[in-house]
Every structure is written in C-alpha cells, then in structure tokens.
Amino acid sequence: EVKDSVTLVGLEGADVTAIPVSGGLADAVTVKTGETGKARFKQLPSGTYDVTVKLNGYSDVNLRNIAVRDDAVAEIGVVMVRV
C-alpha cells in the first residue's frame, strides 16, 4: 500500500515497478495503485526484485531485494514524501 507521509491516505495512480534481480521475470513490470493506494502484481514468478514507486509531486521510493515466492503474498507498505 502506498500512502502520503502526512495524511497517511492511500495514493492513487502511483507507478509501482518490480525489477528482477535474480530468478523471476526477464523484464520489469509496472502496475498502478488504485484509489486506496494498493497495487497488485498478478502471478509474479518467484525471485528477488527491486521495487520502485513513483508519483508526480512525491520523492521516488526504491526498495531492494524483495523476495517473492509463488505460494505466498508479499505485502509492502510505502510512505511517500511530497517534494
């Protein structure tokens, strides 16, 4: 879930990109957050990914080495700061 650092309200329209580090996909995949600030990658293969979150008016967020398994749901909370 992607939230504003001041209001803690979910942010709609942020680009969330999973970039494969090892295993998983060959190419990066980007999805957008919905009105509650949540984004979902459907059927992301097992592997390790770097994740970037971008939204106009906010500082980018970069997360490294997020492990994903086929049989689990990985939930990540991101708080974005206005610029």
Side-chain angles (χ1 to χ4, degrees), residues 10-63:
L11 295 172
E12 182 177 9
D15 289 322
V16 182
T17 303
I19 304 158
V21 175
S22 65
L25 299 171
D27 297 316
V29 175
T30 301
V31 296
K32 286 203 179 284
T33 56
E35 62 186 43
T36 62
K38 293 185 179 181
R40 175 170 288 201
F41 292 96
K42 294 185 179 185
Q43 299 177 337
L44 196 63
S46 289
T48 303
Y49 296 85
D50 288 345
V51 176
T52 63
V53 183
K54 297 181 179 188
L55 182 62
N56 286 337
Y58 290 86
S59 294
D60 294 352
V61 175
N62 298 295
L63 306 168

